[in-house]
């Protein structure tokens, strides 16, 4: 129970019903939900003064799902593609190198 990002609502309940008939529809719904959180997260960052989103590079396990990348691109309305290095830890290493973390 609860949502922390991008809206802090400790009482927010998950939406789990109605459960789709197939596992494919269930996965699609989960990916849609994650995508909405991502869209809302970038919107919240923009409202706080962040630079306008111009491109999303994806890495980690999600970078293996081309359909999800297309879904995210459609919802985010910016080019979204696999990063040159898709290891999840690589982005953190780049931020650390630039002394951002």
């Amino acid at each position: 129970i609860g949502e922390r990002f991008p809206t802090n609502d400790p009482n927010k309940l998950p939406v789990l019903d109605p459960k789709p008939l197939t596992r494919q529809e269930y996965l699609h719904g989960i990916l849609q939900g994650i995508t909405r959180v991502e869209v809302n997260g970038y919107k919240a960052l923009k409202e706080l003064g962040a630079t306008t989103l111009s491109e999303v590079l994806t890495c980690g396990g999600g970078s293996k799902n081309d359909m999800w990348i297309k879904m995210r691109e459609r919802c985010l309305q910016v080019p979204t593609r696999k990063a040159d290095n898709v290891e999840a830890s690589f982005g953190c290493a780049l931020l650390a190198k630039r002394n951002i973390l």
Side-chain angles (χ1 to χ4, degrees), residues 79-97:
T80 303
R81 64 177 178 84
K82 292 178 189 178
D84 291 336
N85 185 323
V86 296
E87 291 297 320
S89 60
F90 187 71
C92 286
L94 289 176
L95 292 173
K97 179 182 176 184

Side-chain angles (χ1 to χ4, degrees), residues 20 22-36 65 67-68 70-71 74-75:
T22 68
R23 292 174 59 89
Q24 291 83 4
E25 289 173 321
Y26 192 66
L27 175 60
H28 184 79
I30 290 170
L31 295 177
Q32 282 180 322
I34 295 169
T35 300
R36 279 191 216 108
N65 189 325
M67 290 179 66
W68 189 29
K70 290 179 193 308
M71 178 190 297
R74 187 173 55 254
C75 292

Side-chain angles (χ1 to χ4, degrees), residues 2-12 36-38 40-45 47:
E3 179 64 56
R4 302 295 181 263
F5 181 83
T7 304
N8 185 9
D9 182 354
N11 298 312
K12 185 170 184 167
R36 279 191 216 108
V37 168
E38 184 176 24
N40 291 333
Y42 283 118
K43 180 181 174 187
L45 289 171
E47 290 170 358

Side-chain angles (χ1 to χ4, degrees), residues 51-89:
T51 305
T52 300
L53 187 65
S54 61
E55 178 182 36
V56 171
L57 302 177
T58 190
C59 64
S63 68
K64 297 176 184 177
N65 189 325
D66 291 330
M67 290 179 66
W68 189 29
I69 293 172
K70 290 179 193 308
M71 178 190 297
R72 293 169 63 210
E73 182 174 58
R74 187 173 55 254
C75 292
L76 292 166
Q77 299 180 349
V78 296
T80 303
R81 64 177 178 84
K82 292 178 189 178
D84 291 336
N85 185 323
V86 296
E87 291 297 320
S89 60

